[in-house]
């Protein structure tokens, strides 16, 4: 992978677009990123990481939402564009963060959503690959299969990050290696094995408890003691004992069944004889009683037959009674119809009522036609009144609208002093000045605080410089004592060459060490850096305040804003009033025109209605005659017609009813004669209801059936020649009961014994099955438990190293081997890294400790014991080794671009040369290396530079100096 170009807009300290073309450093191989503290050197590396991973090294969480430049105004965009190549293809990724921007319409702000676009160069054009956050991330992972943590370890060695791997504890190093090499699956496998072994252990414990409980139940069931070690022989003995009990009980039960069957046969024979004797006696008594009842039954049979014959005559008789009632009712209706007709019509009824009714009906049809004219006349008169009322209402509305029109003309004629647009321009200008004045006031407060901070930092820097000078003076004063301490009699002095040392100088007080000088120098560097930063802030704030010096006071501008807002409100109100009057006058004019047209139509309609009313009034008056109205005239004729119709219908109905009555009387006489009844009274006397007839029939049938049954039983063959003496049943019954009770007792004893044996067999089967299953589980547990303990770093694992630690230790072994190749050159063969293989103690991880071996002393020590420069070299070598191994694990990715952020300030000149030689070797095969450092010597040694400078306004810009 090679990074060609990165472009930043509104990102970190870069407000305006800054484009860094790394191809400009391709010929140099190594370039230096320089600039004052806080200018934004590391922000360039943040932009690279943000474009690829939507994250930033300095923002562990939510980096994508914190990268927007604080110098950007709300309407200025933020974006990062990165061009890189991988796998023979060139790609471009454009990413924008989430931020607030002004709404396109109205006031206020809206959230600009984050975006991402990935494209591939084909010829001279960019062809889009993905344009959504998720799909862009997936495509980038396929192109560059490195996680963000891996990228920061192998491509971008962020400030202070790559040294962390050297001095971290085993647990911290395990977490980092786990992230880089994704060894979670080995830890998960370990956990899974522990869970499976625990589950089998618990399963065995439960199974053994269940077996012991079942053995105890079987022993209690068999009435014996629980054996200490139950086995198959004990089970066989218990089961054979139950089998013997079953055979004995079965023999007793069979003998009892034979005796009970013999008693049952004897009892059945005696019982059958007694039953035949009882049946014969009962049948004889019944036959005697039924023979005595025969005359009464014959009387009931005759009565029933007459009642059945009367049922046939009943229908005809009922028809005659119904016809008589209907004839009487028809005569009553005829009498009422005659009375009503006499009340309605004066004089006697006409001879031909039908013709009289038809004539009246014809006259009624003519009157109904005139009824419609009368109703239309009333409607037209009501409509005439409504139309004239609407004409009056239209005239009143016209007068009211004319008055309103005069008032709106007065409003439209009033001149406008200031328009709303003019007032808005003034208000916007005053508001802008007020905002700038607020910024000026805040800048003045910040300037005062910054000046105090500048003064404090200056004092701190002076104190640090004084302390360093005191230590240097003490160190110079101690040189004589130091040299004297190193003199040996007979050995030449390094200063004068003499082998005699008559008066060697004496060291006074505690010596000043290199560590003390380095610490004091570091304190001075930090104080100097903070002093420069505070001075830069004072200059920037002072420039800002001077730029707004011409603005008025905040209070005065606030009053002007309030005044301009009042003027704007009054102007808007005046314009709204004029607009409302203009719209209202237009509506009034349109309504007046509509009213005029409507009034003309109403007057024309009133004249037409008056003409129609005069024509209909004459026709209706003629139809009424002497009646008050056509409706009244129709009602009189309708009553006359109804009375005539009712009289005609009543006369016809009465004649028909009398004829039907005569026919029914003739039919009744014929039916009485047919069924042998002398007269109607004899028929009435013979009638019975259906229930009585049914009761008689059932009584007769029951007597006949009982008589036939009694005769049949008395003459039955099996009841002939029976003994006279009654049979004795009680003795055989008692004997059978005793035999049956004995048989049931024997059967119960057999069932209990068999049930007991069945339970014993079930318990024994359960015990045997549990023994078999538990043996299989135990065999599986022994294998799985040994594997789980070995993987978990327990016995029989003599190294006490867990599986994940073993895998990571193997990876660390390769990392250390790759690092030692470079550390050997950088330390001139003095130092070498070693992976500690000490057996783990409780709570620690074996195999992940890193030690430093000093070849001069053959002593192995911790990395923390190295000096600052030595630690930097060891960390750099380890980081480069880690990068090499991680790259191999990621599919052999070729990394042609490398960034290292800070750390060179801790190196002396000689060690810096060694480090630079190592980095020179890394740029072979076209690799480009970017270094971030404040060391002045590196600025002299590396001509290719990317300078990041802060402007007077506070934001930064980047310039390539190749």
């Amino acid at each position: 992978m090679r990074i060609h170009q990165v472009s930043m807009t509104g990102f970190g300290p870069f407000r305006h677009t800054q484009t860094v073309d790394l191809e400009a450093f391709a010929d140099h191989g190594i370039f230096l990123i320089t600039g004052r503290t806080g200018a934004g050197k590391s922000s360039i590396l943040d932009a690279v990481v943000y474009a690829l991973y939507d994250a930033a090294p300095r923002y562990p969480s939510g980096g994508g939402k914190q990268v927007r430049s604080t110098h950007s105004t709300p309407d200025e965009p933020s974006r990062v564009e990165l061009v890189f190549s991988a796998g023979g293809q060139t790609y471009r990724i454009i990413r924008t963060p989430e931020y607030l921007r002004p709404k396109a319409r109205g006031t206020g702000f809206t959230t600009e959503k984050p975006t991402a676009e990935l494209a591939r160069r084909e010829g001279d054009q960019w062809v889009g690959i993905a344009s959504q956050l998720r799909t862009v991330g997936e495509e980038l992972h396929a192109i560059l299969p490195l996680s963000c943590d891996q990228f920061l370890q192998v491509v971008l060695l962020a400030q202070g990050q790559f040294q962390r791997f050297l001095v971290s504890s085993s647990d911290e190093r395990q977490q980092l290696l786990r992230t880089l090499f994704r060894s979670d699956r080995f830890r998960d496998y370990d956990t899974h094995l522990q869970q499976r072994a625990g589950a089998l252990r618990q399963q065995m414990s439960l199974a053994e408890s269940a077996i012991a409980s079942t053995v105890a139940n079987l022993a209690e069931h068999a009435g014996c003691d629980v054996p200490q070690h139950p086995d198959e022989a004990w089970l066989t003995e218990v089961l054979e004992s139950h089998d013997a009990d079953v055979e004995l009980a079965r023999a007793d039960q069979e003998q009892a069944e034979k005796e009970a069957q013999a008693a049952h046969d004897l009892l059945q024979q005696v019982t059958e004889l007694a039953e035949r004797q009882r049946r014969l006696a009962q049948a004889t008594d019944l036959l005697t009683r039924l023979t005595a009842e025969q005359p009464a039954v014959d009387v009931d049979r005759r009565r029933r037959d007459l009642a059945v014959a009367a049922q046939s005559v009943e229908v005809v008789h009922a028809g005659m009674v119904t016809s008589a009632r209907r004839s009487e009712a028809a005569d009553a209706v005829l009498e009422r119809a005659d009375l009503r007709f006499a009340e309605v019509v004066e004089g006697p009824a006409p001879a031909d009522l039908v013709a009289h009714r038809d004539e009246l009906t014809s006259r009624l049809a003519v009157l109904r036609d005139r009824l419609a004219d009368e109703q239309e006349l009333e409607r037209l008169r009501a409509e005439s009144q409504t139309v004239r009322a609407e004409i009056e209402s239209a005239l009143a509305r016209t007068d009211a609208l004319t008055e309103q029109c005069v008032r709106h003309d007065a409003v439209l004629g009033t001149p406008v002093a200031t328009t709303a647009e003019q007032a808005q321009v003034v208000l916007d200008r005053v508001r802008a000045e007020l905002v700038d004045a607020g910024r000026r006031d805040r800048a003045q407060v910040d300037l005062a605080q910054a000046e105090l901070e500048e003064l404090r930092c200056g004092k701190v820097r002076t104190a640090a410089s004084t302390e360093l000078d005191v230590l240097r003076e003490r160190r110079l004063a101690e040189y004589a004592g130091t040299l004297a301490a190193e003199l040996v009699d007979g050995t030449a002095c390094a200063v004068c060459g003499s082998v005699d040392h008559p008066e060697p100088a004496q060291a006074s007080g505690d010596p000043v060490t290199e560590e003390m000088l380095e610490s004091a120098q570091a304190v001075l560097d930090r104080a100097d850096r903070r002093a420069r930063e505070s001075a830069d802030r004072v200059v920037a704030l002072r420039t800002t305040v001077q730029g707004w010096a011409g603005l008025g006071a905040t209070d005065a501008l606030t009053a002007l804003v309030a005044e301009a807002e009042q003027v704007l409100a009054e102007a808007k109100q005046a314009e709204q009033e004029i607009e409302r009057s203009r719209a209202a006058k237009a509506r009034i004019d349109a309504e007046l025109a509509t009213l005029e047209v409507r009034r003309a139509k109403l007057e024309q309609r009133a004249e037409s209605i008056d003409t129609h009313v005069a024509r209909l009034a004459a026709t209706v008056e003629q139809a009424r005659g002497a009646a008050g109205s056509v409706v009244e005239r129709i009602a009189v004729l309708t009553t006359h017609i109804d009375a005539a119709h009712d009289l005609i219908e009543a006369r016809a109905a009465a004649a028909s009813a009398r004829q039907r009555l005569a026919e029914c009387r003739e039919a009744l006489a014929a039916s009485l004669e047919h069924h042998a009844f002398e007269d109607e009274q004899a028929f009435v006397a013979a009638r019975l209801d259906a229930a009585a007839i049914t009761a008689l029939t059932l009584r007769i049938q029951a007597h006949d059936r009982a008589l036939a049954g009694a005769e049949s039983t008395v003459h039955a063959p099996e009841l002939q020649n029976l003994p006279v003496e009654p049979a004795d049943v009680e003795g055989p019954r008692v004997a059978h009961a005793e035999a049956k009770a004995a048989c049931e007792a024997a059967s119960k004893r057999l069932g209990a014994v068999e049930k007991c044996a069945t339970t014993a067999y079930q318990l024994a089967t359960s015990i045997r099955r549990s023994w078999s299953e538990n043996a299989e589980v135990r065999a599986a547990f022994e294998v799985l438990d040994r594997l789980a303990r070995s993987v978990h770093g327990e016995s029989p694992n003599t190294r006490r190293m867990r599986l994940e630690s073993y895998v990571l230790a193997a990876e660390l072994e390769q990392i250390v081997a790759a690092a030692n190749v470079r550390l050997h050159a950088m330390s001139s063969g003095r130092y070498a890294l070693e992976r500690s293989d000490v057996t783990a103690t409780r709570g620690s991880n074996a195999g992940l400790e890193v030690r430093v071996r000093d070849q001069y002393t053959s002593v192995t020590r911790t990395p923390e014991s190295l000096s600052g420069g030595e630690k930097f070299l060891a960390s750099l070598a380890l980081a480069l080794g880690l990068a090499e191994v991680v790259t191999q694990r990621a599919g052999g990715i070729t990394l042609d671009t490398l960034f290292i952020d800070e750390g060179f300030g801790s190196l002396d000149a000689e060690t810096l040369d060694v480090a630079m030689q190592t980095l020179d070797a890394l740029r072979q095969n076209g690799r480009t290396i970017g270094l971030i450092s404040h060391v002045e010597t590196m600025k002299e040694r590396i001509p290719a530079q990317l300078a990041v400078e802060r402007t007077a306004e506070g934001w930064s810009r980047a310039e390539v100096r190749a």
Side-chain angles (χ1 to χ4, degrees):
M1 175 201 179
R2 174 181 292 277
I3 299 175
H4 301 285
Q5 179 179 296
V6 58
S7 178
M8 303 156 288
T9 304
F11 183 89
F14 304 109
R15 177 181 179 183
H16 302 299
T17 301
Q18 302 295 315
T19 300
V20 178
D21 186 6
L22 298 183
E23 290 300 309
F25 304 114
D27 295 337
H28 299 274
I30 296 180
F31 68 94
L32 184 67
I33 304 176
T34 65
R36 303 183 67 176
T37 300
K41 301 184 296 298
S42 298
S43 295
I44 297 175
L45 309 186
D46 290 341
V48 174
V49 179
Y50 170 69
L52 292 172
Y53 297 100
D54 191 20
R58 69 179 68 195
Y59 304 120
S61 62
K65 297 183 179 180
Q66 304 180 44
V67 298
R68 177 170 166 79
S69 176
T70 56
H71 300 288
S72 299
T73 60
D75 56 348
E76 292 180 339
S78 292
R79 73 195 297 267
V80 172
E81 178 179 337
L82 179 70
V83 179
F84 68 96
S85 59
Q89 298 287 338
T90 302
Y91 302 91
R92 181 186 68 186
I93 172 69
I94 301 175
R95 196 183 292 273
T96 65
E98 176 183 307
Y99 64 94
L100 294 178
R101 62 167 178 78
K103 292 182 177 179
R105 296 181 179 178
T107 59
F109 294 86
T110 184
T111 301
E112 183 72 16
K113 298 298 183 181
T115 64
E117 298 178 8
L118 179 64
R120 180 176 57 247
R121 180 183 290 278
E122 294 184 1
D124 296 334
Q125 296 181 346
W126 292 104
V127 177
I129 300 176
S131 60
Q132 295 182 355
L133 293 175
R134 181 182 60 81
T135 55
V136 167
E138 294 173 353
E139 293 291 341
L140 282 174
H141 183 71
I143 297 170
L144 184 64
L146 291 175
S147 66
C148 184
D149 290 336
Q150 292 174 327
F151 187 83
L152 293 176
Q153 289 291 332
V154 302
V155 176
L156 198 156
L157 307 182
Q159 185 174 359
Q161 294 294 316
F162 68 96
Q163 293 190 22
R164 178 168 59 91
F165 186 62
L166 175 67
V167 299
S168 60
S169 65
S170 293
D171 291 338
E172 293 174 346
R173 189 174 292 108
Q174 183 187 45
Q175 290 295 330
L176 180 59
L177 291 174
R178 176 183 295 159
T179 302
L180 294 176
F181 296 103
R182 301 174 182 175
S183 63
D184 289 356
R185 60 188 184 278
F186 300 105
R187 181 186 58 184
D188 295 341
Y189 181 64
D190 183 4
T191 303
H192 178 66
L193 286 177
Q194 297 299 320
Q195 292 174 349
R196 285 188 57 194
L200 285 180
R201 185 181 294 107
Q202 183 179 8
Q203 183 179 350
M204 278 197 317
S205 176
L206 294 175
E208 290 173 355
S209 298
I211 291 173
S213 176
T214 306
V215 169
N217 292 337
L218 179 58
E220 180 181 0
H221 181 75
C224 61
D225 296 334
V226 179
Q228 186 175 2
H229 299 291
D231 53 9
E232 184 62 31
W234 179 76
L235 287 179
T236 302
E237 180 182 353
V238 170
L239 295 179
E240 288 177 351
S241 175
H242 282 84
D243 291 341
D245 294 341
V246 170
E247 291 298 328
L248 181 60
R250 183 176 289 111
D252 293 343
Q253 194 264 347
E254 291 176 354
Q255 180 62 31
E257 284 182 350
K258 293 178 180 179
E259 295 176 355
Q261 184 63 38
H264 176 269
D265 294 342
L266 178 60
L267 177 62
Q268 186 175 7
Q269 293 175 3
V270 175
T271 302
E272 289 177 355
L273 175 60
E275 176 63 19
R276 289 197 299 272
Q277 290 176 341
R278 183 190 62 78
R279 285 175 58 198
L280 178 60
Q282 287 181 348
T284 303
D285 294 341
L286 179 60
L287 181 61
T288 302
R289 181 173 58 82
L290 291 177
T291 302
E293 294 175 355
Q294 185 64 45
V297 172
D298 292 339
V299 172
D300 289 339
R301 184 177 286 109
R302 173 60 182 166
R303 185 183 174 194
R304 182 202 60 187
D305 293 341
L306 289 174
V308 171
Q311 285 182 333
S312 300
V313 180
E314 181 67 28
V315 177
V316 179
H317 182 268
M320 187 275 293
V321 173
T322 301
S323 297
R325 287 199 300 268
R326 289 178 178 174
S327 179
E328 293 175 359
D331 291 342
V333 172
L334 177 59
E335 184 179 356
R336 289 193 298 272
D338 286 335
L339 292 175
R340 185 185 177 205
F341 188 83
E343 293 173 357
V344 174
V345 182
E346 296 179 359
D352 192 352
L353 276 176
V354 176
H356 179 69
R357 182 191 61 183
D358 294 343
E359 180 185 358
L360 292 178
T361 302
S362 301
R363 291 165 60 186
L364 180 61
V366 175
L367 284 175
R368 283 176 175 168
D369 292 339
R370 298 288 77 79
L371 177 61
D373 293 339
E374 184 181 50
Q375 293 173 345
E376 178 66 14
L377 177 62
E378 294 299 326
R379 189 189 67 77
L380 289 175
R381 285 174 177 172
E383 184 179 359
S384 177
Q385 294 177 359
T386 302
V387 169
R388 296 190 183 282
E390 290 181 356
I391 292 173
E392 293 298 328
S393 176
L395 291 173
R397 179 61 179 168
T398 300
D399 295 339
L401 290 176
T402 303
E403 294 178 3
Q404 293 179 15
C405 190
V406 172
R407 290 198 301 271
H408 290 306
D409 288 338
V411 173
L412 293 175
T414 303
V416 179
T418 303
T419 64
E421 183 178 359
Q422 294 171 343
Q424 184 67 50
V425 172
V426 174
L427 177 60
D428 292 342
R429 178 177 56 78
V430 178
R431 279 179 175 170
E433 292 180 0
L434 178 60
V435 172
D436 292 340
R439 293 177 178 174
R440 177 200 59 198
D441 295 345
R442 291 192 295 273
Q444 288 176 345
V445 174
D446 295 342
L447 176 60
Q449 296 177 351
E451 289 175 344
L452 292 176
E453 180 65 17
E454 181 183 20
L455 179 60
R456 187 188 67 79
C457 291
K459 292 179 179 180
V460 172
R461 179 176 57 185
T462 301
S465 177
T466 302
E467 178 65 21
L468 180 61
D469 292 341
V470 170
L471 290 176
R472 286 174 175 172
E473 290 175 358
R474 285 176 55 191
R475 181 63 179 272
L476 292 175
E478 293 172 355
Y479 275 158
T482 302
L483 291 174
E486 296 177 352
L487 293 177
V488 178
D489 292 337
T491 303
C493 175
V495 177
C496 63
S498 173
V499 295
D500 297 327
H501 316 299
E503 297 181 359
Q506 300 296 324
S508 61
D510 296 333
V512 177
T513 63
E514 286 294 334
E515 287 77 6
M516 295 172 63
L517 289 174
E518 291 177 358
S519 176
Q521 182 64 49
V523 171
L524 176 59
D525 291 342
R526 288 196 298 271
D528 183 64
R529 182 170 64 254
R530 292 173 181 171
R532 289 198 302 271
E533 292 174 353
S534 60
D536 293 341
R537 179 170 173 75
V538 168
V539 171
L541 289 173
R542 189 174 290 121
T543 302
T544 301
V545 171
Q546 291 174 357
W548 285 322
L551 297 176
T554 303
D555 296 340
L557 290 173
T558 302
L560 288 176
V561 168
E563 181 180 352
E565 289 176 344
Q566 180 64 27
V567 172
L568 176 61
E570 293 175 355
K572 288 183 177 180
Q573 183 176 1
E575 289 184 353
Q576 292 174 357
E577 185 67 25
I578 292 174
E579 186 62 29
R580 284 196 294 269
S581 294
R582 183 178 291 108
K585 190 173 183 303
R587 290 195 301 272
I588 290 171
D589 292 341
E591 188 174 355
L592 285 173
T594 303
L595 285 173
E596 184 65 25
V597 174
R598 184 166 178 268
R599 187 168 60 83
K601 291 182 178 180
L602 290 173
E603 290 176 350
Q604 183 179 1
R605 175 62 178 163
E607 292 177 1
S608 175
I609 291 173
D610 292 342
T611 302
H612 200 184
V613 166
R615 180 177 60 78
L616 287 177
T619 303
V620 171
E621 189 68 23
Q622 181 180 1
R624 287 176 181 173
S629 65
V630 175
V631 174
E632 183 178 345
R633 180 72 172 164
I634 290 174
V636 172
L637 284 178
T638 301
T639 303
H640 195 163
I641 292 171
D642 292 342
H645 178 76
D646 291 343
L647 182 56
I648 294 170
E649 294 292 332
R651 288 177 178 177
S656 177
R658 285 192 292 269
Q659 181 180 358
R660 176 60 179 166
L661 177 59
E663 293 174 354
C664 288
R665 285 175 176 171
E666 292 177 0
L668 177 60
S671 180
L672 290 173
E673 182 180 359
H674 176 72
H675 290 90
F677 287 108
E678 295 179 357
D679 52 19
E680 185 176 355
Q681 287 75 16
F683 154 72
V684 173
R687 284 193 306 177
L688 293 175
D689 57 17
I693 295 173
T694 301
L696 287 173
T697 302
L698 292 177
R699 190 159 58 246
I700 294 169
Q701 291 176 351
H703 178 271
D704 292 344
R705 285 196 300 273
L707 181 60
E711 293 176 347
S712 175
T713 301
V714 170
H715 298 92
E718 68 271 13
L719 300 183
Q720 305 304 315
N721 302 320
L722 295 179
V724 178
E725 293 296 328
D728 182 15
V729 181
E730 187 61 28
R733 180 181 291 113
V734 172
H736 176 262
E738 293 176 352
K740 184 178 180 181
C743 182
E744 290 177 352
S747 179
K748 289 181 180 179
R749 286 195 300 274
L750 176 61
V753 172
E754 287 179 341
K755 183 177 180 181
C756 184
T758 300
T759 302
Y761 269 96
Q762 290 176 347
L763 293 174
T765 301
S766 177
I767 292 172
R768 288 165 175 162
R769 183 172 59 252
S770 298
W771 281 345
S772 176
E773 293 175 353
N774 195 41
E776 296 177 358
V777 173
R778 179 173 296 279
F781 170 74
E782 291 176 354
V783 175
L784 184 62
D785 182 59
R786 180 180 179 85
L787 176 60
R789 285 187 285 106
S790 299
V791 170
H792 199 60
E794 300 174 354
S795 178
N797 186 341
T798 58
R799 299 300 302 167
R800 301 182 64 184
M801 182 182 292
R802 297 183 180 180
L803 176 62
E804 183 186 18
S805 299
Y806 176 79
V807 173
L808 295 179
E811 299 289 356
L812 183 59
E813 189 75 36
Q814 297 188 32
I815 294 171
V816 169
N820 282 333
V821 174
R822 296 180 174 85
L823 183 59
H824 180 80
M826 288 190 287
S827 64
S828 300
R830 178 177 180 180
Y831 293 113
L833 298 176
E834 293 182 352
R835 182 184 65 82
S836 175
D837 203 20
V838 179
T839 302
T841 58
R842 181 179 300 274
S844 64
N845 295 300
L848 298 182
E849 291 289 337
V850 175
R851 294 290 186 267
V852 179
R853 182 176 182 82
D854 190 341
Q855 303 293 355
Y856 292 176
T857 62
S858 298
V859 175
T860 300
R861 48 197 174 104
T862 62
E864 289 83 352
S865 64
L866 297 175
S867 66
E870 294 170 341
K871 189 181 298 181
F872 174 79
L873 293 179
S875 298
L876 179 60
L878 190 61
L880 294 176
L882 177 62
E884 181 177 336
V885 174
V886 171
T887 301
Q888 294 173 356
R889 294 295 181 273
I893 300 175
T894 301
L895 301 177
D896 297 322
T897 306
L898 178 67
F899 295 96
I900 302 177
D901 190 354
E902 281 299 348
F904 297 95
S906 61
L907 305 180
D908 56 32
E910 182 179 356
T911 305
L912 181 61
D913 288 338
V914 175
M916 292 302 298
Q917 292 174 5
T918 302
L919 295 176
D920 283 339
L922 291 177
R923 64 178 180 175
Q924 296 177 359
N925 301 322
R927 178 178 290 179
T928 302
I929 302 173
L931 308 177
I932 297 179
S933 179
H934 295 88
V935 179
E936 294 295 331
T937 305
M938 297 189 68
K939 294 182 181 179
E940 298 174 358
R941 298 180 56 134
I942 304 176
Q945 298 179 6
L946 174 61
V948 182
E949 299 177 350
R950 183 186 298 167
T951 64
E953 291 80 3
W955 57 77
S956 301
R957 59 171 174 260
E959 180 183 358
V960 175
R961 299 173 182 174

